[in-house]
Amino acid sequence: SQKIEQNSEALNIQEGKTATLTCNYTNYSPAYLQWYRQDPGRGPVFLLLIRENEKEKRKERLKVTFDTTLKQSLFHITASQPADSATYLCASRTETGANNLFFGTGTRLTVIP
Amino acid sequence: NAGVTQTPKFRVLKTGQSMTLLCAQDMNHEYMYWYRQDPGMGLRLIHYSVGEGTTAKGEVPDGYNVSRLKKQNFLLGLESAAPSQTSVYFCASSTWDSNQPQHFGDGTRLSIL
């Protein structure tokens, strides 16, 4: 069955550095991947979507890549700030039904001042 | 715009009790979803709806029922609550366009004693 994995449960990084989060998928070929941010006690908030024919997508300090050979997406936050501390979720469309999404378990990022 | 609103925000139930979680969206979205989020498991789809009057099962539907009598509302029911249903429940909505993201509420924290 399709599987999406975010290998790092937690990542600590110094303020100003670039944070890189990984999302790996197996047993399927998603047409796109989505990245969401989730703060404690809040629902996920959409950040970026990257399609399989796009190598890279940028939005302000955020960059997402999609490597169909490695079956992997990387999510980068440049010049990280303490306000970037949150859990980041990777998601892709499921093989069944509507626009249903299948989520990874998330990576909790902490940016240390 | 309020987006997606979930009520209640917190609830404690005893085993065997029933309750209904309400989700309302004001974005005129066709699709609506109910997820549960548990530590280490990520978001898992319970039920979803692609339009008023329609519902379908997701990944973990057992023990839950749903109804979508009005386009803007999606109700999640627990007929006989069990401790295994202790979780954080999130509602989301989206348009029919698979390239568009899902919009989430801030969740209902439910404890079953």
Side-chain angles (χ1 to χ4, degrees):
Chain A
S1 60
Q2 63 184 113
K3 195 171 182 182
I4 195 164
E5 287 182 320
Q6 294 182 253
N7 295 337
S8 298
E9 188 174 325
L11 177 67
N12 294 335
I13 193 165
Q14 208 69 35
E15 181 176 4
K17 301 292 186 183
T18 296
T20 299
L21 285 63
T22 304
C23 176
N24 295 297
Y25 58 91
T26 54
N27 299 329
Y28 74 115
S29 298
Y32 59 73
L33 289 167
Q34 298 186 16
W35 284 88
Y36 289 76
R37 168 181 172 143
Q38 186 175 21
D39 292 288
R42 305 298 299 272
V45 175
F46 172 76
L47 295 174
L48 282 168
L49 179 152
I50 184 166
R51 296 178 181 82
E52 61 178 341
N53 61 351
E54 296 175 318
K55 295 284 188 201
E56 182 180 297
K57 199 84 168 276
R58 289 176 184 263
K59 179 183 176 182
E60 298 173 351
R61 294 185 295 109
L62 308 180
K63 184 179 84 171
V64 176
T65 62
F66 196 167
D67 189 326
T68 55
T69 301
L70 294 178
K71 292 185 178 290
Q72 180 180 84
S73 175
L74 297 179
F75 178 83
H76 306 272
I77 305 175
T78 59
S80 58
Q81 304 167 0
D84 295 325
S85 297
T87 296
Y88 292 86
L89 306 173
C90 173
S92 76
R93 187 176 177 181
T94 67
E95 295 174 315
T96 59
N99 293 332
N100 298 345
L101 293 177
F102 189 79
F103 284 83
T105 53
T107 297
R108 187 175 67 254
L109 174 69
T110 302
V111 180
I112 303 164
Chain B
N1 279 351
V4 178
T5 303
Q6 293 184 234
T7 53
K9 295 189 186 307
F10 305 93
R11 186 72 184 267
V12 178
L13 289 179
K14 293 182 180 178
T15 298
Q17 287 185 319
S18 63
M19 80 161 294
T20 300
L21 281 63
L22 174 63
C23 176
Q25 54 97 1
D26 61 3
M27 295 171 282
N28 202 34
H29 285 167
E30 294 83 6
Y31 294 177
M32 296 186 76
Y33 316 82
W34 275 108
Y35 294 89
R36 60 178 290 173
Q37 188 174 39
D38 302 290
M41 299 292 289
L43 285 157
R44 292 182 291 168
L45 184 66
I46 304 171
H47 286 281
Y48 64 98
S49 168
V50 299
E52 183 177 318
T54 72
T55 63
K57 294 180 181 179
E59 181 187 355
V60 288
D62 293 342
Y64 305 96
N65 57 76
V66 287
S67 64
R68 183 113 181 257
L69 299 179
K70 293 183 179 181
K71 185 177 183 179
Q72 64 267 33
N73 295 336
F74 196 27
L75 278 62
L76 178 71
L78 286 73
E79 289 186 346
S80 180
S84 61
Q85 294 178 304
T86 293
S87 188
V88 182
Y89 291 87
F90 287 99
C91 176
S93 70
S94 74
T95 70
W96 55 267
D97 185 350
S98 63
N99 290 310
Q100 296 302 312
Q102 293 186 9
H103 299 259
F104 285 81
D106 280 337
T108 294
R109 282 140 192 85
L110 184 60
S111 294
I112 316 295
L113 304 178

